[in-house]
Amino acid sequence: MPSQLFSPFRLGGLTLPNRIVVSPMCQYSAEDGFANDWHLVHLGSRAVGGAGLILVEASAVTPEGRITPGDLGIWKQEHVEPLARIVRFLHSQGSYAGIQLAHAGRKASMAAPWVPEHHLQPEEGGWAPIYAPSASAFDRHYGQPEALDLAGIDRIVRAFADATTRALQAGFDALELHAAHGYLLHEFLSPLSNHRTDEYGGSFENRARLLVRVVDAVREVWPLDLPLLVRISATDWAETATADASSSWTLDQSVALARLLKTRGVEMIDVSSGGLIPNVKIPSAPGYQVPFAARIRAEAAIPTAAVGMITTPQQAEEILAAAQADLVLLAREFLREPYWPLRASAELAGDQSWAVPYHRAAPRGARLREPIAPRAGESAA
């Protein structure tokens, strides 16, 4: 039986060569938001390795929307060309390129994760104010946010739309909105962080209002033939913490949100979990989030991507064969093994595709990879 992992998949107007996606992974290695040689080599290596779609890490739509000073940004025009350079290389290796647009909300202005966790003051390279739906900090290590007023919410919506224009100029093929892991859009969704009493708080419809507005604004700019994804946290895991699980973000609400987003032009839900509250004991194990993707796929009738401790080719194949998800996203496994798709293809007897300069190492019968042709109006330089 042919490998599911190496079968093409139609996503929007794209036909991905396989179902393997590089999950967006922050490198905390930018300066003033600019992509540099590290990002080119990091992402380019995964394209040489054969991933069908590569999602560039969370890229801030405003400077105060960064998690750390080292985050990528797409809040100004000067960010476009360094990102376009990366897109051109990914295309040259036969991989499609996507980017995740993000705003960190109350988790902004933090130190890089390899130093002691703390909120950065302006003299340390941090910034103020930081923003959230309500004036409630994540925990004692994080800064005290200001609640966004209505004008501030409007600015956030415009920032996502403007960033989408820049992503299109850079040549990206897919766009993902980050509404997970306790960052701004997720903060509005969950009643644990959203204590508002206006039209952006209270009911499910109100808490989803900002995300829906962002999706609508992005869809006005992003071409209909290019896919729009949304990453969500399917659950806050509040039942494992001290928080009140009865008033948290749940899988039932995630299904309802997926149904709503489908009507607004979202083609896929990228299903993760957690990140909104501290001291959460997540029962992590191989594929622990896959059941969330499976339920959303079945009940919302929308394609899903599964992520979370997916490490082996057989595991990925089984997820797809069981129709639990349509794509598999690998994160840390791709850090350990940039050429994971080539090994997976060898193990699953899939259709191997090798980078042309590596043809001398390719096994007998392997194809040489074809570059992706530039879209109309996109520079191939």
Side-chain angles (χ1 to χ4, degrees):
M1 180 180 295
S3 166
Q4 291 288 308
L5 192 60
F6 289 92
S7 63
F9 181 72
R10 187 77 175 173
L11 182 62
L14 308 181
T15 300
L16 304 182
N18 56 52
R19 310 292 187 97
I20 304 168
V21 183
V22 177
S23 188
M25 292 177 281
C26 289
Q27 300 295 292
Y28 307 106
S29 299
E31 184 174 344
D32 193 28
F34 282 92
N36 54 39
D37 288 349
W38 174 264
H39 302 94
L40 174 66
V41 173
H42 162 66
L43 296 164
S45 297
R46 279 78 198 166
V48 172
L53 173 63
I54 297 172
L55 294 175
V56 174
E57 67 191 75
S59 300
V61 299
T62 67
E64 69 273 11
R66 292 171 293 168
I67 308 165
T68 78
D71 285 25
L72 280 184
I74 192 167
W75 67 79
K76 58 184 176 182
Q77 194 64 28
E78 290 80 4
H79 288 146
V80 171
E81 178 49 35
L83 290 168
R85 176 191 179 210
I86 293 171
V87 171
R88 290 193 292 267
F89 184 81
L90 302 186
H91 283 173
S92 77
Q93 299 308 306
S95 295
Y96 284 101
I99 187 169
Q100 186 185 70
L101 303 185
H103 190 295
R106 67 179 183 174
K107 286 187 166 183
S109 193
M110 294 296 292
W114 48 79
V115 299
E117 184 179 51
H118 70 285
H119 178 72
L120 294 176
Q121 299 301 316
E123 61 270 20
E124 300 176 282
W127 52 90
I130 61 173
Y131 297 104
S134 305
S136 174
F138 177 69
D139 75 5
R140 63 185 179 84
H141 299 292
Y142 286 70
Q144 177 64 38
E146 293 184 7
L148 279 164
D149 60 17
L150 295 182
I153 288 174
D154 289 343
R155 286 194 297 270
I156 296 293
V157 174
R158 286 196 300 272
F160 272 97
D162 291 345
T164 300
T165 297
R166 298 183 191 105
L168 188 61
Q169 292 169 346
F172 284 102
D173 309 293
L175 196 73
E176 178 170 275
L177 302 177
H178 198 351
H181 301 165
Y183 299 123
L184 185 69
L185 297 179
H186 183 190
E187 291 165 16
F188 269 84
L189 291 173
S190 177
L192 292 175
S193 49
N194 183 345
H195 309 137
R196 301 175 74 99
T197 57
D198 62 4
E199 63 265 42
Y200 290 93
S203 69
F204 168 85
E205 291 76 15
N206 283 356
R207 287 181 281 113
R209 191 180 305 278
L210 175 58
L211 177 56
V212 169
R213 284 193 63 194
V214 168
V215 167
D216 288 348
V218 163
R219 260 302 174 207
E220 288 184 6
V221 178
W222 193 245
L224 291 176
D225 64 329
L226 296 182
L228 176 61
L229 299 78
V230 175
R231 172 168 275 193
I232 67 170
S233 284
T235 172
D236 287 336
W237 294 106
E239 65 274 15
T240 71
T242 57
D244 180 5
S246 65
S247 59
S248 66
W249 184 257
T250 65
L251 182 55
D252 287 343
Q253 293 176 81
S254 291
V255 171
L257 179 67
R259 289 176 179 145
L260 175 61
L261 295 180
K262 181 181 178 181
T263 69
R264 318 301 289 210
V266 172
E267 278 93 1
M268 174 170 277
I269 305 296
D270 176 3
V271 185
S272 188
S273 68
L276 187 96
I277 49 178
N279 305 316
V280 173
K281 296 178 181 178
I282 297 176
S284 58
Y288 70 103
Q289 296 176 143
V290 173
F292 302 147
R295 182 173 164 197
I296 291 170
R297 184 180 189 272
E299 296 187 15
I302 189 171
T304 59
V307 64
M309 295 185 72
I310 300 171
T311 59
T312 70
Q314 190 58 45
Q315 179 191 12
E317 184 78 9
E318 290 171 356
I319 291 167
L320 298 172
Q324 294 178 295
D326 299 279
L327 299 178
V328 291
L329 275 67
L330 278 69
R332 295 182 189 184
E333 193 62 22
F334 257 122
L335 297 183
R336 290 184 280 264
E337 190 175 354
Y339 296 173
W340 187 91
L342 296 180
R343 177 169 69 85
S345 181
E347 291 185 15
L348 299 172
D351 183 17
Q352 282 205 334
S353 170
W354 280 65
V356 173
Y358 285 5
H359 73 280
R360 286 171 293 184
R364 186 181 299 275
R367 292 184 297 109
L368 297 183
R369 200 170 299 146
E370 295 287 339
I372 292 173
R375 294 193 303 275
E378 179 186 343
S379 171

